[in-house]
Amino acid sequence: MPADTTRPAEESYAGGESPRKVARVVLLDPEDRILLLHGHEPDDPADDWWFTPGGGLEGTETRAEAALRELAEETGITEVELGPVLWRRRCSFPFAGRRWDQDEWYYLARTSQTATAATALTELERRSVAGARWWTCQELTRAHETVYPTRLAELLRTLLVEGPPATPLTLDTEIV
């Protein structure tokens, strides 16, 4: 049964339904820094983590279209060169009082536009996204903060040294 992509972005896909289809963006600037968003539980800013921009597909859009739309909405960055899918991941996590089951595709993208401004956050995103930051690979490797996917520093280092994989890598399923 295919996922119903017409549901609101905040809706969970738990309970035996197909996972929510998600497009994420590994956005690199000219200095090979990666842009991550700082998120937290809506009612508990101390329960926080860093993650790549992206979100669920809307209507009939493709994952690539969703990646570009979500990037623009969450960061204001529209001057991007969208590259290949790097990684795919299934994940399941609690957030905002419900369980989210997702099938995520991570696209490589490059930009020279480094100023960010969230332009079209949903109500839930406004309550749970605290900002954005450009990270070097070294900073990410040394970070003590929670970052998703959990192996992002290692994945980024490999990407910067070897370039994009010939076919998307399937990452380990993460269940939080």
Side-chain angles (χ1 to χ4, degrees):
M1 172 177 173
D4 177 2
T5 57
T6 60
R7 295 179 184 217
E10 284 102 16
E11 188 150 343
S12 162
Y13 286 75
E17 296 181 47
S18 295
R20 178 176 182 241
K21 292 181 181 180
V22 170
R24 298 209 162 277
V25 180
V26 176
L27 185 63
L28 302 178
D29 74 359
E31 297 173 24
D32 285 336
R33 297 180 303 168
I34 185 172
L35 182 66
L36 297 179
L37 301 179
H38 190 202
H40 57 81
E41 273 293 329
D43 297 324
D44 184 5
D47 184 2
D48 68 333
W49 55 88
W50 292 88
F51 63 102
T52 58
L57 277 64
E58 293 182 357
T60 60
E61 72 184 348
T62 66
R63 292 213 198 216
E65 291 167 341
L68 293 172
R69 176 187 50 76
E70 287 284 343
L71 185 64
E73 291 173 357
E74 294 175 349
T75 70
I77 296 176
T78 56
E79 299 169 22
V80 297
E81 189 178 308
L82 192 63
V85 176
L86 300 170
W87 316 309
R88 293 180 181 168
R89 173 180 88 137
R90 291 287 301 268
C91 60
S92 179
F93 54 91
F95 174 67
R98 60 185 98 163
R99 177 146 296 270
W100 299 71
D101 295 313
Q102 299 190 157
D103 174 24
E104 299 181 336
W105 291 16
Y106 289 79
Y107 285 85
L108 174 61
R110 291 210 170 255
T111 188
S112 58
Q113 181 184 349
T114 57
T116 62
T119 59
L121 297 180
T122 65
E123 187 271 331
L124 179 57
E125 288 169 332
R126 282 191 298 279
R127 294 183 351 204
S128 62
V129 176
R133 176 183 163 195
W134 292 95
W135 296 70
T136 66
C137 189
Q138 186 176 36
E139 289 170 333
L140 198 55
T141 300
R142 292 190 318 245
H144 294 289
E145 293 92 345
T146 301
V147 177
Y148 293 110
T150 55
R151 294 178 41 225
L152 185 58
E154 172 191 337
L155 292 163
L156 179 60
R157 184 172 47 255
T158 300
L159 172 65
L160 295 175
V161 170
E162 299 176 8
T167 58
L169 300 175
T170 300
L171 306 181
D172 291 338
T173 299
E174 288 192 52
I175 300 174
V176 178

